[in-house]
């Protein structure tokens, strides 16, 4: 029987492709516009729903060695390393995400509509033992005007329980790797939320996957 099938190529779109990255950046821009105010693509202006927006950026990771601090123990498989970070975040009733909710609602007195968060994994940049391994960047935007404390009282120390929970729940996470794991930006400190966030998140709408760094390719392969 004669084989008259045609062959053709279909472009694969995934989370690393420029079109998906463009969509992700658009979502971040929409989040900023909804919470902080801004301009729609059609030029219309809108006021943000948060009158005193405070932004909190976390950097959560774990040791790349099987035994933290002991290179001779060998490297952990990148997928296992990434899984440990993700499972600590979502996990059980003692998850990192649950502790974050406790800090926001019980300690700061916020309702669920007074804050929003975004979670994204990223590869460690540059050279070294962690190159190509994951770390997580949960980002929180909250309305300090609805909090039980003034915006000026919301600092990195406010979110120490979140980092402590990550260290406790994530296999291989240590305090040494999380000394500067939280950055808090007050309402007047962020000029461009999209640029601020994308500086920490590997969002490159104009860059194809194969044009990225070696450590990014290593990380993407493990995903």
């Amino acid at each position: 029987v004669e084989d008259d099938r045609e062959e053709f190529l279909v472009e694969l779109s995934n989370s690393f492709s420029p079109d998906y990255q463009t969509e992700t950046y658009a979502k971040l821009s929409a989040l900023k516009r909804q919470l902080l105010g801004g301009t729609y693509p059609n030029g219309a202006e809108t006021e943000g729903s948060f009158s005193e927006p405070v932004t909190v950026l976390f950097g959560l990771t774990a040791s790349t060695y099987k035994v933290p601090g002991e290179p001779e123990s060998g490297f952990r498989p990148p997928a296992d390393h990434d899984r440990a970070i993700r499972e600590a975040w979502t996990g059980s009733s003692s998850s990192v995400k649950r502790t974050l909710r406790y800090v926001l609602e019980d300690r700061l007195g916020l309702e669920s509509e007074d804050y929003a968060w975004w979670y994204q994994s990223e590869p460690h940049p540059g050279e070294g033992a962690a190159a190509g391994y994951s770390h997580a960047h949960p980002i929180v935007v909250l309305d300090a005007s609805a909090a039980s404390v003034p915006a000026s009282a919301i600092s990195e120390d406010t979110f120490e329980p979140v980092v402590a929970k990550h260290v406790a729940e994530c296999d291989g996470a240590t305090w040494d790797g999380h000394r500067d794991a939280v950055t808090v930006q007050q309402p007047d400190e962020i000029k461009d939320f999209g640029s601020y966030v994308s500086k920490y998140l590997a969002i490159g709408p104009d860059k194809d996957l194969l044009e990225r760094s070696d450590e990014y390719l290593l990380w993407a392969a493990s995903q």
Side-chain angles (χ1 to χ4, degrees), residues 156-172:
E156 286 78 5
D157 290 343
T158 305
F159 297 92
E160 183 176 326
V162 179
V163 181
K165 177 58 69 173
H166 173 76
V167 171
E169 295 294 324
C170 180
D171 182 27

Side-chain angles (χ1 to χ4, degrees), residues 1-132:
V1 178
E2 184 178 352
D3 187 352
D4 60 354
R5 292 177 299 176
E6 295 183 2
E7 293 184 0
F8 56 91
L9 296 176
V10 177
E11 184 176 350
L12 174 65
S13 178
N14 56 37
S15 60
F16 306 112
S17 59
D19 58 338
Y20 190 98
Q21 297 280 300
T22 299
E23 181 181 341
T24 299
Y25 190 85
K27 288 179 180 178
L28 283 171
S29 298
L31 180 68
K32 178 263 181 185
R33 191 164 53 241
Q34 178 183 350
L35 303 182
L36 283 67
T39 306
Y40 284 98
N42 63 4
E45 297 288 334
T46 182
E47 293 186 4
S49 56
F50 290 0
S51 58
E52 283 189 87
V54 171
T55 301
V56 187
L57 175 70
F58 295 89
L60 306 177
T61 187
S63 174
T64 59
Y65 300 122
K66 293 179 180 177
V67 179
E70 298 184 13
E72 63 275 10
S73 66
F75 288 100
R76 301 175 66 186
D80 292 348
H81 174 269
D82 179 73
R83 186 181 300 110
I85 297 171
R86 292 175 182 271
E87 289 182 349
W89 172 256
T90 57
S92 61
S93 59
S94 60
S95 67
V96 180
K97 184 170 67 172
R98 188 178 182 91
T99 300
L100 174 60
R101 183 180 292 113
Y102 161 77
V103 171
L104 293 169
E105 297 183 1
D106 292 4
R107 297 189 65 175
L108 296 181
L110 298 171
E111 300 292 337
S112 59
E113 63 267 20
D114 299 326
Y115 63 86
W117 68 49
W118 178 288
Y119 178 97
Q120 187 155 331
S121 290
E122 297 296 331
H124 281 283
E127 301 177 353

Side-chain angles (χ1 to χ4, degrees), residues 208-219:
D208 185 75
L209 173 61
L210 297 182
E211 296 175 349
R212 292 178 179 265
S213 64
D214 290 344
E215 66 268 14
Y216 192 95
L217 292 176
L218 288 168
W219 175 77

